[in-house]
Amino acid sequence: MSLSKIWLSSPHMGGNEQKYIAQAFEQNWIAPLGPNVTGFEDDLKKYLGEDVEVAALSSGTAALHLALILCGVQRGDEVLCQSLTFAASANPIAYLGATPVFIDSEEDTFNISPDFLEDAIKDRIQKGQKPKALIAVHLYGMPYKVEDIHAIARKYDIPVIEDSAEALGSTYNGQKCGTFGEFAVLSFNGNKIITTSGGGALVSKDPKMKEKAIFLATQARDAAPHYQHSQIGYNYRLSNISAGIGRGQMEVLDAHILKRREMNLFYKEIFASLDGVKVLNEPEKSYFCNHWLTVIKLDKEKIPFSTEELRLHLENWNIESRPLWKPMHMQPVFKEAPFYGNGVAEEAFLTGLCLPSGSNLTNEEKERIKEAVDNFLQEK
Ligand SMILES: *Cc1c(COP(=O)(O)O)cnc(C)c1O
């Protein structure tokens, strides 16, 4: 008998998504914009609290691109960026002809290191150019060191773009991720904590910024009866159909976060007896992680196997697992970019593994994961 595939993170519908899509069909509101877009934006705004404005867009990458434009980033500028992240955090810097300056991670959250961040800012200023913006990422849903990072950004007056693509529902000191930066970015791609089959959002505290983002996202059309343009625009708005899926997903978001957190506990139990396996967790009470993906890190001194051996073993059981994001400063495409760090991100990449964490995993599937891991550990 062949085993069905257990995915790292697969879409999990709540049930009402089709109701909102059906409404769009009934009203023939298939074109972009329309009631689902506004409804989805309102849902997100309410969920995030903190008096923010939300613009629903076609992807998280589009939201990052617009955030950089709204920060005034231009050709030749430098932008600070967490190195351990998905390429989508850094690519929009290159779209604008700007240079990413990559920063290493710290050990507690695997996110951007405050120490190297400040080193980098000082050094870039000394070399003659103050970075225009900072992209900090709540990786795998784990909040970065919000207080430290934002204190440094304030000290040097650098706007923070909070890449919250993986962190919808995570909080720091009770405040939702996605509400700390000048701008924040959400993603509703297929494997994220909620999905619109593809989509994203730009969050800002300034209603004027939302207006500008939507202007740019709809081809930057000036007010005139004909099509008049004084600047370059983009086609980045979310469609009314996709937003309908998003509205249904918002109804189940918190329930799905509970499930993801249960998955994290499940792995903690599985690996409890193994001294050399660390399940990444909140370092302090002030952190609340949505545990979009559960991450383990192996201590090479104590563990007689590599993450790659474990990954291949799970693959034989038709269970997907994946190394952490390969740091951007190690990527061929960014090999010329400056980097500040001492190897934490690189070590995380070499010794870390993401495990299946979906909110829709069944008890049978969890049993199979446990059996596969136990079987692997017995062989070692
Ligand atoms: C998914 C993701 C993005 C990009 O979002 P898309 O909607 O896929 O464009 C950006 N940053 C991080 C950290 C992500 O995981």
Side-chain angles (χ1 to χ4, degrees):
M1 192 192 75
S2 68
L3 296 166
S4 63
K5 176 110 178 177
I6 296 179
W7 300 96
L8 209 54
S9 175
S10 65
H12 184 189
M13 294 299 110
N16 277 338
E17 292 82 1
Q18 286 185 323
K19 180 187 86 184
Y20 293 109
I21 294 175
Q23 278 172 10
F25 272 79
E26 280 154 25
Q27 298 159 345
N28 199 28
W29 224 315
I30 311 300
L33 308 188
N36 280 337
V37 174
T38 321
F40 185 42
E41 286 176 345
D42 286 346
D43 291 346
L44 286 164
K45 194 176 147 88
K46 272 197 214 99
Y47 186 78
L48 293 172
E50 307 299 330
D51 218 14
V52 290
E53 300 294 329
V54 178
L57 300 172
S58 54
S59 71
T61 310
L64 273 159
H65 189 190
L66 294 185
L68 289 166
I69 293 172
L70 294 170
C71 285
V73 173
Q74 292 179 347
R75 183 164 297 279
D77 284 339
E78 292 187 347
V79 176
L80 303 151
C81 183
Q82 181 166 323
S83 184
L84 186 65
T85 186
F86 180 39
S89 304
N91 281 338
I93 302 171
Y95 299 168
L96 292 166
T99 302
V101 174
F102 291 117
I103 314 291
D104 210 343
S105 295
E106 36 80 9
E107 299 272 4
D108 294 335
T109 72
F110 285 174
N111 291 313
I112 189 164
S113 149
D115 295 339
F116 286 113
L117 173 63
E118 186 153 20
D119 285 355
I121 295 173
K122 284 186 185 154
D123 192 52
R124 298 327 287 175
I125 291 173
Q126 212 208 346
K127 289 192 161 74
Q129 205 173 3
K130 191 174 102 172
K132 267 285 177 66
L134 159 62
I135 299 172
V137 190
H138 306 293
L139 213 58
Y140 305 115
M142 184 63 73
Y144 58 74
K145 295 197 163 172
V146 169
E147 270 165 272
D148 297 348
I149 297 301
H150 286 261
I152 295 167
R154 269 194 304 276
K155 179 170 163 192
Y156 295 94
D157 195 23
I158 296 173
V160 179
I161 300 171
E162 201 188 336
D163 184 341
S164 211
E166 303 177 0
L168 185 59
S170 297
T171 68
Y172 181 80
N173 270 340
Q175 185 178 333
K176 291 259 161 58
C177 289
T179 65
F180 294 104
E182 267 73 12
F183 293 99
V185 163
L186 304 174
S187 168
F188 317 114
N189 203 352
N191 61 356
K192 296 288 155 71
I193 196 132
I194 64 165
T195 183
T196 58
S197 88
L202 182 66
V203 182
S204 148
K205 285 171 192 137
D206 182 352
K208 278 205 207 74
M209 285 298 165
K210 173 178 173 174
E211 216 175 281
K212 278 194 190 170
I214 290 175
F215 170 75
L216 291 170
T218 49
Q219 305 290 17
R221 202 181 151 194
D222 296 338
H226 55 277
Y227 278 75
Q228 171 89 13
H229 306 274
S230 336
Q231 48 178 309
I232 296 296
Y234 303 86
N235 181 6
Y236 277 173
R237 207 59 166 122
L238 187 67
S239 91
N240 198 47
I241 296 293
S242 300
I245 305 176
R247 288 179 86 181
Q249 290 272 277
M250 286 306 286
E251 295 176 7
V252 291
L253 170 56
D254 278 336
H256 288 188
I257 290 173
L258 281 178
K259 292 277 185 198
R260 300 239 178 198
R261 289 179 59 85
E262 272 172 36
M263 286 307 297
N264 185 260
L265 277 178
F266 165 75
Y267 287 115
K268 266 198 234 156
E269 280 161 21
I270 288 187
F271 292 108
S273 59
L274 267 176
D275 191 23
V277 179
K278 178 185 158 188
V279 179
L280 185 67
N281 225 290
E282 291 113 338
E284 287 169 37
K285 283 244 172 328
S286 42
Y287 293 76
F288 176 87
C289 180
N290 67 10
H291 285 305
W292 170 57
L293 293 184
T294 286
V295 171
I296 57 168
K297 189 169 180 286
L298 306 186
D299 182 338
K300 279 190 296 201
E301 313 276 289
K302 294 182 184 154
I303 292 292
F305 55 85
S306 68
T307 47
E308 185 56 10
E309 285 173 81
L310 178 55
R311 192 187 71 77
L312 290 172
H313 178 86
L314 292 174
E315 196 172 85
N316 283 336
W317 287 62
N318 213 11
I319 297 168
E320 185 184 29
S321 65
R322 195 186 292 156
L324 307 208
W325 302 121
K326 182 172 181 176
M328 290 303 113
H329 73 277
M330 296 169 73
Q331 299 286 357
V333 72
F334 290 124
K335 62 180 187 296
E336 309 292 339
F339 169 68
Y340 294 81
N342 65 351
V344 173
E346 199 164 328
E347 175 74 11
F349 168 61
L350 293 173
T351 60
L353 195 67
C354 301
L355 299 171
S357 307
S359 44
N360 51 358
L361 291 172
T362 62
N363 285 336
E364 291 73 41
E365 287 173 320
K366 282 161 89 169
E367 265 316 303
R368 180 168 13 131
I369 295 168
K370 184 170 163 20
E371 220 182 298
V373 173
D374 287 347
N375 176 277
F376 176 76
L377 296 176
Q378 272 157 23
E379 282 173 13
K380 291 292 147 188

